Amino acid sequence: MTDKSNPYYIAYIREKKARAEIEQMLEDYTRQVYEKNVLLEQQIEQIKNQQQSLIQQEKLALLGSLAAGVAHEINNPLAFVISNVTTLNSYIADLLRVIRKDQLTDPDKHNIEFIIEDLPELISDTDQGFFRIKDIVKNLLFFARTDTEQITEIVLCNAIEMAVKLLGPKLKNIHIKQELSQVSNVQFNTGEINQVLVNILINAIQACEASNTDDPIITIKLAQDNDKIKLNIIDNGCGMTSEVKQRMFDAFYTTKPIGTGTGIGMSIVLQILQQQKAQIEVQSEVGKGTDVQITFNAV
């Protein structure tokens, strides 16, 4: 009798085969559990990021609401202060005419001459200061629009101008070159177009600052090709590696130092543009700069 006909051998082979099948089933089950755990961890992390993104967007919306409130509060006293200064300027002009007639007989002639020369300049500087504050408040109100549900026709040239004015203090050492053609309006939310432009411009500013170039330039181009409107924001800053470029739209991914960026700005930009059926493309090269192109649909 051979081993193959031996019942003990047959039972051994059957048990060995069953044990191998059970081990294979256990291995398959363990692998499936591991893969599901990995997927679950990824989904949990994604949910956490989405929650943080929603919290951040809520904070931005609240900040916009607060900014709008503060701007309105400033606007009210500012209006009557400007009006009063204008009236005061008229009164001072009348007073100066009277003073000029009497100054020849006044023993304190030199002081009066100084006052006559200095007053108009003081009033002019005050006027310029108040109107500068008025412009800042106007830009802040434009940026802080909180009508997030309302889609309106946007004049892109005006939106670009407002964004550049709002970032004026950050652009003191950077040359802004604008090549803006007359284009059709676009359907967009006012507050969201402001977020898009400001986020991209801030990135361009920081790229220029990081490059330490002697002649930092940000070029803004706007042109229309049939029913497509193309906006390009080009900087000659530090540029990006291919890895950074691939991850630039990931939520909370940032290459900036702690305290200078949350890594959420471009993620929000992408979300907004996708919601409004607009496209964004980025070309960048380390040491040469970045070109961000947004394509809108004309109204």
Side-chain angles (χ1 to χ4, degrees), residues 69-100:
V70 171
H72 279 298
E73 289 298 318
I74 294 173
N75 242 352
N76 292 331
L78 184 62
F80 68 74
V81 168
I82 290 175
S83 175
N84 289 350
V85 169
T86 302
T87 304
L88 181 62
N89 193 19
S90 175
Y91 291 165
I92 287 175
D94 292 339
L95 287 172
L96 288 178
R97 280 194 293 271
V98 174
I99 291 172
R100 285 190 181 98

Side-chain angles (χ1 to χ4, degrees), residues 32-178:
Q32 290 174 6
V33 170
Y34 171 76
E35 290 174 350
K36 288 181 179 179
N37 281 339
V38 170
L39 180 61
L40 182 60
E41 288 176 359
Q42 291 174 346
Q43 290 174 337
I44 291 173
E45 186 65 25
Q46 185 178 4
I47 290 170
K48 286 181 179 179
N49 288 340
Q50 289 174 344
Q51 287 176 335
Q52 290 296 324
S53 178
L54 289 172
I55 291 170
Q56 186 69 14
Q57 290 188 53
E58 186 65 26
K59 287 180 179 179
L60 288 172
L62 178 59
L63 181 60
S65 179
L66 290 172
V70 171
H72 279 298
E73 289 298 318
I74 294 173
N75 242 352
N76 292 331
L78 184 62
F80 68 74
V81 168
I82 290 175
S83 175
N84 289 350
V85 169
T86 302
T87 304
L88 181 62
N89 193 19
S90 175
Y91 291 165
I92 287 175
D94 292 339
L95 287 172
L96 288 178
R97 280 194 293 271
V98 174
I99 291 172
R100 285 190 181 98
K101 291 180 181 179
D102 298 337
Q103 67 174 325
L104 295 176
T105 59
D106 195 301
D108 204 5
K109 177 181 176 180
H110 295 294
N111 287 341
I112 293 175
E113 287 178 348
F114 174 76
I115 293 172
I116 291 173
E117 291 174 2
D118 201 36
L119 269 176
E121 186 176 348
L122 288 175
I123 293 295
S124 176
D125 290 347
T126 303
D127 270 342
Q128 290 178 19
F130 281 131
F131 280 105
R132 173 62 182 147
I133 294 171
K134 186 178 180 181
D135 283 342
I136 292 171
V137 171
K138 179 182 176 182
N139 297 337
L140 188 59
L141 281 170
F142 185 82
F143 178 73
R145 292 281 294 275
T146 55
D147 50 346
T148 55
E149 299 297 326
Q150 187 176 359
I151 303 297
T152 59
E153 285 194 17
I154 299 294
V155 180
L156 282 173
C157 286
N158 293 347
I160 293 167
E161 181 184 356
M162 287 293 182
V164 171
K165 283 185 177 180
L166 187 71
L167 294 173
K170 293 181 176 291
L171 293 167
K172 287 181 179 178
N173 300 318
I174 298 174
H175 177 61
I176 293 288
K177 185 180 178 183
Q178 298 190 43

Side-chain angles (χ1 to χ4, degrees), residues 1-21:
M1 187 172 69
T2 63
D3 289 342
K4 291 184 178 179
S5 61
N6 188 321
Y8 295 106
Y9 178 76
I10 294 172
Y12 166 74
I13 294 298
R14 187 184 301 118
E15 180 185 356
K16 183 178 180 182
K17 181 180 179 182
R19 187 165 57 245
E21 289 176 350

